[in-house]
Amino acid sequence: MEEEIKETNESGDKEDIGKENNEELESNKDNEENKENNDEEPANDEVAELKKKVEELQQEASDMKNKYMYAMAEAENIRKRTAKEKTDAIKRANKGLLLSLLTFMDNFERALKAGEKDENIQGTEYYKGIELIHKQFIDFMHDNGVSEIESLGEEFDPNVHEALTMIEVPELDKEKVVEVYAKGYKLNDELLRTAKVVVGKPPAAPKE
């Protein structure tokens, strides 16, 4: 009987020990799983934080690129505007200078016309000097884009001709330039100075 009781106690003790071992194993397993879960949570948080940081950096880089492109475009616009203003200023200065030189051109041409009427002057060194300077003036003007407006015998055009007076000319059927007092000039395709002219017009129709 005592042996049976002892065997029973030993069996009970073994069951208790086995149960305790199983509980301990289960507890260790739970602890390990909890530990793994706890380890995963910080790792996931870190990855999310890194992704967020990367997105912020990408957005910052995109903003910086846009600002850079805008600054480059603005700098190019300023460069073009400055270059245009400089070119326009040079053109205005050149136009003013060339316009002033036309007065000297007019005087040389008047001197040449006066010499054509005086046989004593024609062929002299003085007259030849005037012709040479006049030619140099013409070459200089041409080199700087100045060209003469053909006016004599042309149909009157108020855009390029300034009529000093108008006279009746029987053989005309429309208004034409019959005399040029001062030549007109263009600077490239732009009007530099209108021609001062005398305009011939057809005779008025007789009154009935």
Side-chain angles (χ1 to χ4, degrees):
M1 187 70 176
E2 290 179 358
E3 290 179 357
E4 290 178 359
I5 293 172
K6 184 176 180 181
E7 288 177 359
T8 301
N9 290 337
E10 288 178 354
S11 176
D13 291 341
K14 288 179 180 180
E15 289 179 359
D16 290 340
I17 292 172
K19 186 177 180 180
E20 288 177 359
N21 290 337
N22 289 334
E23 289 178 354
E24 185 176 353
L25 289 173
E26 290 292 334
S27 177
N28 291 337
K29 185 176 180 181
D30 292 339
N31 290 336
E32 288 178 359
E33 289 179 354
N34 292 333
K35 184 178 180 181
E36 289 177 358
N37 291 334
N38 291 335
D39 289 342
E40 288 177 0
E41 288 179 1
N44 291 336
D45 292 343
E46 186 176 353
V47 169
E49 185 67 25
L50 288 174
K51 286 183 178 179
K52 182 179 179 182
K53 189 64 176 177
V54 168
E55 291 175 358
E56 290 176 353
L57 290 173
Q58 288 176 338
Q59 183 62 43
E60 184 178 348
S62 178
D63 293 342
M64 291 296 292
K65 181 180 179 181
N66 291 336
K67 290 178 180 179
Y68 171 77
M69 296 299 293
Y70 176 81
M72 290 295 292
E74 186 66 19
E76 181 64 14
N77 290 336
I78 292 173
R79 186 191 68 78
K80 290 181 179 179
R81 185 165 59 249
T82 302
K84 184 178 183 303
E85 290 174 353
K86 183 178 180 180
T87 301
D88 291 343
I90 292 173
K91 285 182 178 179
R92 287 194 298 271
N94 287 346
K95 184 177 180 180
L97 174 62
L98 295 171
L99 190 59
S100 299
L101 289 176
L102 291 179
T103 303
F104 293 95
M105 179 79 78
D106 295 338
N107 292 334
F108 274 110
E109 291 181 348
R110 292 191 186 101
L112 289 171
K113 285 183 178 180
E116 291 173 357
K117 299 176 182 179
D118 191 339
E119 294 180 357
N120 295 324
I121 294 178
Q122 289 184 21
T124 63
E125 293 299 322
Y126 169 76
Y127 192 76
K128 289 179 181 179
I130 293 177
E131 288 181 322
L132 179 60
I133 296 172
H134 178 252
K135 183 180 182 304
Q136 289 175 340
F137 255 120
I138 292 176
D139 292 341
F140 173 80
M141 290 296 189
H142 285 173
D143 291 342
N144 286 275
V146 178
S147 59
E148 180 184 337
I149 298 173
E150 295 295 334
S151 299
L152 188 62
E154 299 293 324
E155 186 175 346
F156 175 68
D157 182 356
N159 294 315
V160 295
H161 300 140
E162 180 183 345
L164 300 179
T165 186
M166 300 186 76
I167 59 174
E168 289 187 356
V169 180
E171 60 268 23
L172 293 180
D173 59 354
K174 61 179 65 175
E175 294 179 349
K176 289 187 176 182
V177 175
V178 295
E179 184 180 348
V180 178
Y181 178 75
K183 294 179 180 180
Y185 293 90
K186 285 185 177 181
L187 177 58
N188 298 319
D189 295 327
E190 182 183 356
L191 180 65
L192 182 60
R193 189 183 75 177
T194 57
K196 294 178 174 59
V197 300
V198 176
V199 180
K201 63 179 181 178
K207 295 181 180 180
E208 296 181 357

